[in-house]
Amino acid sequence: MRFVLEHVDDPSLILRRYSDFLTENGKIYVGVPSASSMHRLIGKKAGFLDDLRKLSEQDHLYGHKRYLTYDDWRGIIEAEGLVIKKAEGLFLAPFSTGQLRSLNLEERVLRALVDLAQEYPSLANSLFFEVQKVNAAM
């Protein structure tokens, strides 16, 4: 599920239905944006954003229906009887995409931001979860 759950009316329902198709050791891979990303936290602290979960005009254009934090996504996944085997961030974005592009950062800096996101998923702009049914994880 690569960047699907933020577009659907009920992400819990989708996770529940997909988990019914899992074999004993089957896994679901989930990719979602994160409202608790560093650039959104900075934006809120600086007064540009009043709510981390608030959708922007761009989000609406993309068809997003929600912006949830790392902890929100974990809660939804676990509430559906799934266990998170792995949780990583995909990119640590200290600034908006436009701001980052304007900085013309070296490849090694961009690589460091990817590496740091894996270590600190709760601050990453996008999240990756590898999940299994609880009974398969034991």
Side-chain angles (χ1 to χ4, degrees):
M1 289 184 210
R2 185 175 174 264
F3 297 95
V4 170
L5 296 179
E6 70 274 16
H7 294 274
V8 299
D9 289 329
D10 188 348
S12 297
L13 176 66
I14 301 298
L15 283 169
R16 190 174 323 120
R17 289 212 174 138
Y18 272 73
S19 69
D20 288 342
F21 294 110
L22 290 177
T23 60
E24 182 178 333
N25 293 310
K27 297 176 183 174
I28 298 173
Y29 299 96
V30 177
V32 289
S34 177
S36 55
S37 72
M38 182 179 278
H39 79 286
R40 290 182 73 83
L41 291 167
I42 291 170
K44 187 170 188 310
K45 190 64 118 174
F48 296 119
L49 191 61
D50 61 352
D51 180 357
L52 291 176
R53 293 170 184 84
K54 186 175 184 175
L55 294 171
S56 69
E57 264 185 54
Q58 196 67 34
D59 288 313
H60 289 292
L61 287 173
Y62 291 150
H64 293 172
K65 295 190 176 198
R66 70 195 43 76
Y67 224 139
L68 300 176
T69 67
Y70 174 77
D71 291 333
D72 295 336
W73 285 118
R74 285 185 67 95
I76 288 171
I77 291 166
E78 291 169 351
E80 291 310 318
L82 298 166
V83 64
I84 297 170
K85 301 299 286 181
K86 184 180 201 178
E88 291 182 351
L90 300 179
F91 188 75
L92 188 67
F95 306 109
S96 71
T97 301
Q99 291 168 327
L100 282 170
R101 284 187 181 137
S102 73
L103 294 173
N104 198 27
L105 298 170
E106 292 181 42
E107 182 66 31
R108 64 183 173 167
V109 174
L110 296 173
R111 183 75 239 160
L113 292 170
V114 169
D115 292 345
L116 284 168
Q118 291 174 353
E119 293 176 43
Y120 302 99
S122 65
L123 295 175
N125 71 334
S126 297
L127 306 169
F128 167 80
F129 295 100
E130 178 184 305
V131 303
Q132 285 183 297
K133 284 185 179 181
V134 171
N135 59 357
M138 295 180 181

